[in-house]
Amino acid sequence: MARTPGSIKAETHERIVETAARAIRAQGYAGASVADVMQQAGLTHGGFYAHFASREAMVEEALDRAADEGRTRLTGVAERAEPGHALEAIVASYLSDRHVEHPESGCSLAALGSETARQAPALRRIATRQVRGLASLLAAQLPGGDTPDNRDRALTALCGMVGALSLARAVDDPALSRALRDAVARAVAGAGADRGEPHARQPRRRRTGR
């Protein structure tokens, strides 16, 4: 069946959003210029305004996409984990070597860091939803589920995970990068154990291949 003009436009729109979502995570908000994104998407600059009213609109949709991808990926990790090991699996995936080496396809909170605090309110609202969503996902893995008490522990774990990933990317010492992540992994595992989780333990150290 031949593609309709509407479907072609929708596919092109998706390509732009996906390219911009990768660009902002790899290079920061400044890396998502209209010209660069369109070039990376294999499209002409002149076609941009058939899809977006402004660069800001593109960046907003791209950040929303990046945030959704991050939550979806970690939710999938939890669902595929062995019973009782979902929190361990989430932490191991988030703090993996692959995630350190590939910010363009990873968590937008760690990739963009404090840059988001200086962005427009719409972008900060997306980051706020991302924090709440990830905290809820982590809390759901603790005994008793997503309760107010567990949410506090999940927020603490999330702060440690995002901070460790950001610092692991910043330092030029691989051993220190690993030590930062291992320290947070132990702390999160300990928090699970303190809540009576029989399976909580330090995530197995793994290197995920490209």
Side-chain angles (χ1 to χ4, degrees):
M1 179 181 296
R3 294 184 299 169
T4 65
S7 68
I8 294 173
K9 182 175 181 179
E11 291 172 7
T12 301
H13 186 95
E14 285 294 300
R15 193 193 317 173
I16 297 170
V17 172
E18 180 62 30
T19 302
R22 293 177 69 86
I24 59 174
R25 283 176 286 183
Q27 304 169 40
Y29 291 104
S33 71
V34 171
D36 288 344
V37 168
M38 295 299 280
Q39 181 179 34
Q40 291 169 28
L43 301 166
T44 61
H45 189 169
F48 175 82
Y49 292 100
H51 299 275
F52 301 96
S54 64
R55 174 187 177 275
E56 289 72 21
M58 176 191 70
V59 170
E60 182 178 342
E61 192 168 341
L63 181 61
D64 204 24
R65 171 67 58 83
D68 284 345
E69 287 176 352
R71 287 194 301 270
T72 298
R73 184 177 66 81
L74 292 179
T75 298
V77 169
E79 291 173 347
R80 293 188 298 271
E82 298 174 7
H85 292 282
L87 181 60
E88 173 190 347
I90 289 172
V91 175
S93 176
Y94 193 93
L95 298 178
S96 67
D97 292 337
R98 180 177 177 81
H99 200 182
V100 171
E101 295 163 2
H102 294 280
E104 74 282 357
S105 58
C107 176
S108 56
L109 295 174
L112 295 164
S114 61
E115 279 192 68
T116 302
R118 296 186 289 272
Q119 302 304 311
L123 299 183
R124 295 182 67 190
R125 282 193 293 271
I126 293 169
T128 299
R129 290 199 300 271
Q130 174 76 330
V131 169
R132 288 175 173 154
L134 290 178
S136 179
L137 176 62
L138 293 174
Q141 314 313 317
L142 293 168
D146 190 4
T147 64
D149 194 33
N150 280 346
R151 183 65 68 90
D152 285 347
R153 288 172 170 79
L155 287 170
T156 300
L158 180 60
C159 288
M161 291 163 62
V162 172
L165 185 62
S166 299
L167 290 174
R169 288 172 175 163
V171 300
D172 66 355
D173 180 349
L176 179 57
S177 172
R178 185 71 260 174
L180 287 162
R181 290 175 281 149
D182 283 349
V184 168
R186 286 192 296 270
V188 174
D194 290 344
R195 296 293 295 163
E197 169 58 76
H199 297 289
R201 64 175 186 257
Q202 181 185 354
R204 293 181 294 273
R205 184 177 299 183
R206 69 179 81 173
R207 180 180 180 88
T208 306
R210 296 190 183 184

